[in-house]
Amino acid sequence: MSWALSEIEGLARKAARGAGFSWGMAEEAGKAARWLAGIGLPGPEVLADFLEAYDRTPHSEMRPRDTGIDRWTAAGGVICPISAGCALCDLAQDDAPSRDIDIENCAYPLLLLPFVRAAAEDGAQSERLIWPGGEFAFSSEVRGAAATPMLALSPARVQQGENDALPLPDCQMRYDLAEEPAARLAAFAARTYAPDSEESRLSGAGAGLADND
C-alpha cells in the first residue's frame, strides 16, 4: 500500500510512544522513519523490528553510558539507535568538539542515519556513518547506500569527512509499506489509545457517559 510520508511519520511516532518512548523521543523516531522512507529505505520496517525486538526493555539499559568518550557502550550491552542519535544531535547543537565516535553493538543502525544527517547540519560539517550494512556521507548533499538495511545488530562509526564515490539516493514523496509491518506498527500505536472500559468512561476518557446528541 502506498503511504504519504506524513502518514508514515504519524504511525511511527505513535508506535514508538506505544513502545514506551517519551513523546519527545517518539517524535524523533517518527521523523527518522519518514526521512528513511523518503529516500527509499525501509525505515518503518526497521522501526517495527526494533520495537518488537526490544519491547519493554528499560531505556536506561540501552542509552549510551558516557557520550563524552569516543567509544559508546550501554549498560545492557546493546545501544538504542534513537537514543544514540539524539545524543549525537545534542553534541552537535552544544558545539561540542567534533570527533569520531564508535558505537558498539548498535541495534538496527539504519535508524541512526537521519540523526547523523541532522548532526552534520547542526554542526555545519561533513559527517559519515559507516557500518557493516552500508555507508552514508552527509555534506552539501546526501550520498550513500545500504546493502543490508535490515541488519539487526552491529558496530557503527560516525566520523568526519565526505565520500563523493557514494551514489546519490533517489528521493520520493510516497512509500510502499506492506500490510504486515504496518500492522505491527499499528499494534504498538494502539497502546496509546485509552481503553474503552467503564472505568475509562467514568474518568473522562472519550465521550464518557455524557449524552451529546
Side-chain angles (χ1 to χ4, degrees), residues 1-3 8 11 44-45 175-185:
M1 178 179 175
S2 177
W3 291 62
I8 293 287
L11 177 61
E45 295 90 337
Y175 183 76
D176 289 331
L177 179 60
E179 183 176 339
E180 189 271 339
R184 289 191 286 139
L185 289 172

Side-chain angles (χ1 to χ4, degrees), residues 7-83:
E7 294 173 322
I8 293 287
E9 181 177 354
L11 177 61
R13 179 178 64 248
K14 289 180 180 178
R17 176 58 179 163
F21 283 96
S22 68
W23 273 118
M25 294 282 282
E27 289 275 358
E28 296 302 326
K31 292 176 184 177
R34 174 180 181 152
W35 186 86
L36 290 166
I39 59 169
L41 290 172
E45 295 90 337
V46 173
L47 180 64
D49 282 0
F50 169 66
L51 295 180
E52 285 190 340
Y54 297 97
D55 188 20
R56 305 192 190 283
T57 302
H59 292 158
S60 60
E61 294 292 304
M62 300 188 72
R63 294 192 197 98
R65 283 189 289 195
D66 185 355
T67 60
I69 61 177
D70 297 341
R71 185 173 296 275
W72 291 5
T73 60
V78 176
I79 289 184
C80 166
I82 299 168
S83 294

